[in-house]
């Protein structure tokens, strides 16, 4: 190798070495998630989210009643994630299934890059990167092409703004208010953003001198009122808040939905390991936190234990909650600031864009077959099925195929009584209730998973026969007279 070639190679390596950790995190997470792009589409709800977005674009208005089911047709329904649905629909129109997967991957990558950048202000870059990677592992099960992923970077910027203000013994900047307004149009979890205002307000008052607390409390209260008003800047106004509260009030039904179930430690998983590891480290090293931060940590832990969908809140916000106290106690220092070099950064971004374009052109990303029972729906359409009793997991795909559904993932539309009644019927905890559902709703086809007790029952009662069956779905239809 000539001297000139060796010098050029060292210069190129040096240029890439000067790229900050957060940039590497963004590129790495995006590449990883796009590589497993099918996994981002492993949810039936993605189908109906795109369908709703298309409807909004086609009609240039927002839905106010249900138009996708026959059990709740015409009932009031608010699409609190309308903006995310529009974005997913446009992404699909532009790049097929690669579009929604790439959009979700980009927002997730931005989230973990932001987490790395925030932590790097008080910790060495290697520590910040390892914590961000641990958060990625914890949240990987809920990284899906759905609206909640689009608000993850917004949540981090919002929480960091509140945390910074509380540590300065000051009120948050009013420039944060448009952020929560955007959040309110993307996903109903914006209510948690309001909860964070109260949590960090308490932290700010704890940090402030006694003489400053009254004035500071008034400023935080004014900001909180402004944040509440900003949450109403949606096409539905105050209705967006009411719709989000309605979801939280579904009671027992939430425990039947996979992502709303409580966490369990019956098996050792990354969440259990993280809890045990954090507890052991806190006991061994004697970590100390101020009382407001302890309450925030306990609140995040309680939310993650109550509903597994809150695990990303725990993984992304716990490091922020403990960052300053832990860094101060153990005298940790941030690494020297590194600005990304334009040329190597542009090369990395160009490579990722080219890879995304190739994936879109070849359509290598698509939803897993388990959520896309195409053959079963084809068989029902050929049979001219009119009224179908379907399981929840098939609702999104049925809406995608323009089949009126019995139920789908919009739990707030169907309500606790309807959902629990259906669940008991399908599990044959109420056999007469199941038979009554078939008659009172004039059902002429039933589409369930093979292991559902109600599906097995239909194999043994008169008047019903199998139309289609595979290892994922069984369709029964009424037998000809």
């Amino acid at each position: 190798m000539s001297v000139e070639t060796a010098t050029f190679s060292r210069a190129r390596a040096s240029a890439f070495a000067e790229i900050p950790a957060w940039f590497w995190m963004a590129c790495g997470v995006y590449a990883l998630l796009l590589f497993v792009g099918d996994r981002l589409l492993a949810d039936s709800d993605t189908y109906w989210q795109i369908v709703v977005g298309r409807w909004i674009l086609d009609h240039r208005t927002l839905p106010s009643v249900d138009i996708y089911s026959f059990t709740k047709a015409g009932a009031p329904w608010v699409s609190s994630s309308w903006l995310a649905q529009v974005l997913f629909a446009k992404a699909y129109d532009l790049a097929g299934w690669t579009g929604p997967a790439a959009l979700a991957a980009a927002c997730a990558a931005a989230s973990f890059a932001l987490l790395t950048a925030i932590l790097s202000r008080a910790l060495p870059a290697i520590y910040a990167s390892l914590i961000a990677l641990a958060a990625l592992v914890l949240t990987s099960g809920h990284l899906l092409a759905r609206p909640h992923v689009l608000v993850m970077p917004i949540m981090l910027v919002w929480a960091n703004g509140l945390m910074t203000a509380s540590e300065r013994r000051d009120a948050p900047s009013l420039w944060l208010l448009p952020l929560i307004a955007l959040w309110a149009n993307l996903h109903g979890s914006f209510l948690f953003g309001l909860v964070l205002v109260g949590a960090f307000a308490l932290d700010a008052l704890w940090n402030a001198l006694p003489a400053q607390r009254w004035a500071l409390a008034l400023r935080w209260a004014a900001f909180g009122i402004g944040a509440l008003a900003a949450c109403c800047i949606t096409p539905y106004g105050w209705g967006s808040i009411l719709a989000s509260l309605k979801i939280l009030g579904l009671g027992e039904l939430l425990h039947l939905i996979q992502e709303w179930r409580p966490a369990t430690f019956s098996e050792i998983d990354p969440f259990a390991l993280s809890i045990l590891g954090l507890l052991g480290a806190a006991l061994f090293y004697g970590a100390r936190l101020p009382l407001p931060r302890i309450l925030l940590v306990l609140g995040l832990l309680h939310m993650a234990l109550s509903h597994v969908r809150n695990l990303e809140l725990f993984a992304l916000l716990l490091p922020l909650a403990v960052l300053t106290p832990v860094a101060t106690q153990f005298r940790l220092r941030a690494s020297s600031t590194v600005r990304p070099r334009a040329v190597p950064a542009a090369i990395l971004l160009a490579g990722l864009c080219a890879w995304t374009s190739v994936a879109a052109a070849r359509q290598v990303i698509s939803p897993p077959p388990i959520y896309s029972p195409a053959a079963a729906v084809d068989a029902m359409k050929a049979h001219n099925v009119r009224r179908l009793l379907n399981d929840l997991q098939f609702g999104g795909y049925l809406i995608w195929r323009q089949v009126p559904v019995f139920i789908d993932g919009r739990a707030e539309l169907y309500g606790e009584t309807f959902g629990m009644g259906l669940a008991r019927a399908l599990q044959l905890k109420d056999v007469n209730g199941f038979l009554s559902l078939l008659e009172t709703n004039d059902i002429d086809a039933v589409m369930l998973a093979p292991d559902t007790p109600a599906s097995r029952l239909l194999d043994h009662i008169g008047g019903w026969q199998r139309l289609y069956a595979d290892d994922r779905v069984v369709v029964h239809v009424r037998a000809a007279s």
Side-chain angles (χ1 to χ4, degrees):
M1 180 183 295
S2 66
V3 175
E4 292 80 1
T5 303
T7 303
F8 175 75
S9 298
R10 285 194 296 269
R12 182 173 57 184
S14 176
F16 279 95
E18 292 179 9
I19 294 178
W22 63 264
F23 194 90
W24 283 116
M25 182 65 65
C27 294
V29 171
Y30 179 82
L32 174 63
L33 294 180
L34 198 64
F35 181 74
V36 295
D38 290 3
R39 178 64 185 83
L40 296 173
L41 303 173
D43 194 294
S44 179
D45 283 358
T46 302
Y47 282 112
W48 71 259
Q49 300 281 4
I50 295 175
V51 171
V52 173
R54 277 180 170 174
W55 189 94
I56 294 172
L57 290 171
D58 291 341
H59 294 80
R60 298 186 181 277
T61 187
L62 298 185
S64 57
V65 297
D66 173 49
I67 56 175
Y68 299 112
S69 77
F70 65 86
T71 51
K72 295 293 182 178
W77 176 63
V78 169
S79 180
S80 57
S81 300
W82 72 273
L83 183 55
Q85 290 157 354
V86 167
L87 293 175
F88 277 125
K90 291 297 293 184
Y92 180 85
D93 291 341
L94 289 172
W97 284 113
T98 303
L103 178 59
C107 290
S111 302
F112 294 105
L114 279 169
L115 179 61
T116 305
I118 293 170
L119 297 179
S120 295
R121 297 175 185 171
L123 302 177
I126 184 62
Y127 291 176
S129 300
L130 290 175
I131 294 172
L133 289 175
L136 174 62
V137 172
L138 287 176
T139 60
S140 60
H142 204 216
L143 293 179
L144 301 164
R146 285 176 43 192
H148 70 276
V149 174
L150 272 58
V151 302
M152 284 169 49
I154 295 175
M155 178 186 69
L156 274 170
V157 175
W158 173 260
N160 183 59
L162 298 179
M163 179 188 70
T164 303
S166 71
E167 292 175 353
R168 291 198 316 258
R169 304 176 186 178
D170 198 359
S173 169
L174 296 179
W175 289 107
L176 287 174
L177 297 182
L179 204 63
I180 199 168
L182 176 61
W183 190 349
N185 286 277
L186 286 169
H187 192 247
S189 61
F190 67 89
L191 290 179
F192 180 68
L194 297 177
V195 173
L196 285 178
V197 174
F200 282 108
L202 177 61
D203 187 62
L205 296 178
W206 182 274
N207 294 330
L209 298 174
Q212 300 173 331
R213 285 175 181 163
W214 178 246
L216 188 58
L218 291 177
R219 294 176 64 193
W220 272 87
F223 179 83
I225 295 172
L228 180 62
C231 291
C232 297
I233 306 177
T234 74
Y236 297 106
W238 181 258
S240 295
I241 296 178
L242 297 180
S244 299
L245 291 173
K246 188 176 181 180
I247 296 175
L248 298 177
L250 290 175
E252 189 180 359
L253 179 60
L254 291 179
H255 297 297
L256 299 182
I257 303 173
Q258 182 65 38
E259 63 183 18
W260 284 98
R261 291 176 181 174
T264 174
F265 289 148
S266 58
E267 297 180 0
I268 297 298
D269 57 11
F271 182 42
L273 288 175
S274 67
I275 296 299
L276 296 175
L278 290 171
L279 180 60
L283 292 173
F284 185 81
Y285 292 105
R288 297 188 300 273
L289 299 176
L291 179 59
R293 298 294 175 99
I294 293 176
L295 295 177
L296 179 56
V297 168
L298 293 177
L300 291 171
L301 179 59
H302 173 72
M303 292 177 65
L305 293 173
S306 300
H307 305 296
V308 294
R309 66 172 292 155
N310 291 327
L311 188 54
E312 66 258 26
L313 302 181
F314 175 82
L316 293 172
L317 298 183
L318 178 67
L320 270 65
V322 304
L323 174 61
T324 301
V326 169
T328 301
Q329 179 182 348
F330 296 103
R331 300 178 181 179
L332 300 174
R333 295 290 183 268
S335 304
S336 58
T337 302
V338 178
R339 295 181 179 274
R341 297 285 294 273
V343 173
I347 292 174
L348 289 173
L349 291 177
L352 292 175
C353 291
W355 183 19
T356 306
S357 299
V358 171
R362 295 184 177 181
Q363 290 297 302
V364 296
I365 296 176
S366 61
I370 189 173
Y371 299 103
S372 313
V377 175
D378 291 340
M380 287 191 297
K381 288 197 170 188
H383 194 74
N384 295 319
V385 167
R386 297 177 297 106
R387 295 171 73 85
L388 169 70
L389 173 61
N390 64 280
D391 206 346
L392 174 66
Q393 61 180 309
F394 304 122
Y397 183 74
L398 290 169
I399 291 175
W400 178 265
R401 294 290 301 273
Q402 300 180 347
V403 176
V405 297
F406 193 93
I407 193 172
D408 59 84
R410 299 170 295 163
E412 74 280 9
L413 168 66
Y414 298 96
E416 181 181 11
T417 301
F418 182 94
M420 291 303 303
L422 177 61
R424 285 192 292 268
L426 296 184
Q427 294 300 315
L428 296 186
K429 295 179 180 179
D430 182 5
V431 178
N432 290 329
F434 172 63
L435 299 177
S436 177
L437 278 179
L438 300 178
E439 299 303 323
T440 58
N441 291 281
D442 194 21
I443 300 297
D444 59 356
V446 179
M447 181 181 186
L448 301 172
D451 58 349
T452 305
S455 179
R456 297 173 181 172
L457 175 65
L458 291 176
D459 286 328
H460 302 284
I461 62 176
W464 291 89
Q465 63 185 23
R466 285 197 176 198
L467 174 69
Y468 178 88
D470 59 29
D471 59 343
R472 300 182 298 271
V473 60
V474 176
V475 177
H476 288 86
V477 294
R478 289 191 183 272
S481 301

